[in-house]
Amino acid sequence: MPGTFRFSFGPWNIHEGADPFGPPVRPGMPFTQKLALYKKLGFDGVQLHDDDAVPNLNELSGAQIERSAAGLRRTLDDEGLVAEFVAPRLWEDPRTIDGGFTSNDENNRRYAIERSLKAIDIANVLGTKKIVLWPAREGTYIRESKDARLAVERILEAVNRMLAYDPEILILIEPKPNEPMDQAYLPTVGHAIGLAYLSDDPSRVGALIESAHAILAGLDPSDEMSYALAHKKLWSVHLNDQNGLKYDQDKSFGSVDLRRAFMQVWVLDRNGYGNNGEFVGMDVKAMRTQRAEEATQHLANSREIFLALLAVVRSLDTARIDQLIAQRNYEQLEIEIIRALMGR
Ligand code: 3MF
Ligand code: MG
């Protein structure tokens, strides 16, 4: 069955252009103004960090958090939008300097778990069951600083705490091999899914695959997606592009390697992605050179490229492809795919 595609992004994908070497180059846009742009850009789903949804949540009581989240829920309803997921932001607070769940400090580990449980409370008010865990600082700068086996056990303990806290919540691990850490403990989808099977409820732990994160691990994003699909654990994607092994670029989907992007669309469509309500997330950033007036174009462009590649995938003669595969004529298969991509 072919896929059904709805698109999502997070408020961080409309940003001011700051990088580690320079300040913002565009004025910030208030969150509600960003929400008003979603539909115009062709997007229906909103991805949220816990503090995107509820600013300053560390200073708020449980009741205040719920009230704030309920306010956002009304805004989303008014805009005709849905919350796709909530992700606890475990990489900015001083208590997460040495990691969240894998910090060497017990009090800080407790903070990370409590913060993750608050993200679940927010998700419940917003009407989503999906919690994304990007284990940003769960890793090391030097190998001697942490016990790697213990670190995995601590991540597992945190996942189990979250599963026990809410019997319906789904945990989507977003693996990334490096940045901000030198080495991360869950660098690939294989690691994420291995951890899922160790958990108290493997059926509720899955993955979000980001194209650039797979590329940074030296892997093909469509293969990473296929691996998760084989386990029925591909519950979200962050499509984007990445020009080689360097800092995480979050370039527009398909902007570096159209054929690699095409293969991701092929895999998603052929596996009926989206038929259980999964979103196609675009985790893309505008170039720093982009003027404020045009700093949302990268989102619409990524969606346009996805849909154009989907049209190519669906235009292919599958009987012809099967015939070339049977003849093992992969040279001919390759030229026909490239011709299709070039519209010839
Ligand atoms: C980092 C990322 C993150 C996550 C986000 C949601 C800021 O490389 O991709 O984006 O996607 O935190 O989990
Ligand atoms: Mg991402």
Side-chain angles (χ1 to χ4, degrees):
M1 208 192 351
T4 310
F5 300 111
R6 303 186 288 171
F7 300 89
S8 62
F9 69 87
W12 63 89
N13 297 117
I14 300 176
H15 81 129
E16 296 82 50
D19 68 17
F21 303 97
V25 290
R26 296 182 284 263
M29 189 187 289
F31 183 36
T32 46
Q33 208 174 313
K34 292 183 183 178
L35 289 177
L37 290 173
Y38 271 70
K39 286 280 181 185
K40 289 185 196 121
L41 293 164
F43 289 76
D44 300 305
V46 184
Q47 309 187 331
L48 296 149
H49 294 123
D50 49 5
D51 56 1
D52 294 323
V54 177
N56 306 315
L57 79 157
N58 283 344
E59 279 93 71
L60 304 182
S61 68
Q64 287 170 319
I65 290 175
E66 288 203 7
R67 212 171 312 131
S68 172
L72 174 60
R73 176 77 190 259
R74 280 191 295 277
T75 310
L76 293 178
D77 289 347
D78 289 347
E79 296 283 352
L81 298 170
V82 295
E84 184 195 354
F85 66 66
V86 177
R89 198 195 292 274
L90 297 176
W91 53 92
E92 285 186 0
D93 191 273
R95 284 164 285 191
T96 59
I97 284 175
D98 190 33
F101 308 139
T102 65
S103 169
N104 281 323
D105 182 303
E106 188 188 346
N107 291 326
N108 292 346
R109 291 199 300 275
R110 194 173 316 119
Y111 163 77
I113 290 180
E114 280 164 11
R115 173 84 183 225
S116 304
L117 301 184
K118 286 180 189 168
I120 295 176
D121 294 339
I122 294 168
N124 277 322
V125 177
L126 296 179
T128 176
K129 296 290 168 211
K130 291 179 179 162
I131 297 291
V132 166
L133 275 188
W134 169 42
R137 298 195 189 276
E138 314 301 358
T140 56
Y141 302 109
I142 62 164
R143 310 314 287 154
E144 296 85 354
S145 64
K146 287 182 186 172
D147 178 328
R149 174 182 172 167
L150 188 58
V152 173
E153 290 167 355
R154 283 176 170 162
I155 297 171
L156 181 63
E157 188 190 323
V159 164
N160 284 337
R161 284 286 302 281
M162 294 171 74
L163 292 171
Y165 183 72
D166 184 318
E168 287 184 19
I169 214 80
L170 301 173
I171 298 176
L172 287 63
I173 298 174
E174 180 180 349
K176 183 177 181 184
N178 61 283
E179 201 195 28
M181 306 314 292
D182 178 30
Q183 306 269 9
Y185 289 127
L186 299 177
T188 71
V189 73
H191 293 81
I193 290 180
L195 194 93
Y197 289 123
L198 281 179
S199 78
D200 290 340
D201 190 351
S203 72
R204 291 196 290 132
V205 184
L208 177 159
I209 310 263
E210 174 161 329
S211 324
H213 296 180
I215 297 163
L216 285 168
L219 300 170
D220 179 82
S222 71
D223 280 352
E224 289 283 273
M225 289 171 191
S226 300
Y227 187 86
L229 285 163
H231 294 269
K232 299 192 168 43
K233 289 188 179 299
L234 188 63
W235 300 339
S236 189
V237 291
H238 269 175
L239 301 187
N240 55 20
D241 217 344
Q242 171 73 28
N243 204 3
L245 301 183
K246 51 183 92 171
Y247 65 94
D248 184 8
Q249 297 186 302
D250 294 336
K251 289 172 76 69
S252 289
F253 181 57
S255 64
V256 176
D257 188 333
L258 212 47
R259 190 167 170 198
R260 187 169 60 192
F262 158 80
M263 203 55 206
Q264 292 169 65
V265 179
W266 162 304
V267 160
L268 294 174
D269 195 40
R270 287 195 160 193
N271 285 284
Y273 184 84
N275 288 323
N276 296 314
E278 302 92 346
F279 274 93
V280 174
M282 295 295 176
D283 199 357
V284 289
K285 285 210 177 73
M287 293 176 224
R288 193 162 191 268
T289 41
Q290 199 71 354
R291 289 185 309 183
E293 310 82 285
E294 289 113 13
T296 56
Q297 224 181 320
H298 59 301
L299 291 155
N301 292 353
S302 294
R303 179 176 173 277
E304 179 184 325
I305 293 169
F306 182 96
L307 292 172
L309 290 172
L310 182 63
V312 175
V313 167
R314 290 183 176 174
S315 74
L316 294 171
D317 179 347
T318 50
R320 169 74 179 156
I321 292 173
D322 290 345
Q323 182 194 20
L324 292 171
I325 290 171
Q327 293 166 356
R328 223 172 59 208
N329 194 347
Y330 302 153
E331 294 289 356
Q332 185 62 25
L333 177 58
E334 178 160 79
I335 190 68
E336 291 189 18
I337 295 288
I338 292 172
R339 277 186 199 138
L341 279 169
M342 293 195 300
R344 293 159 72 113

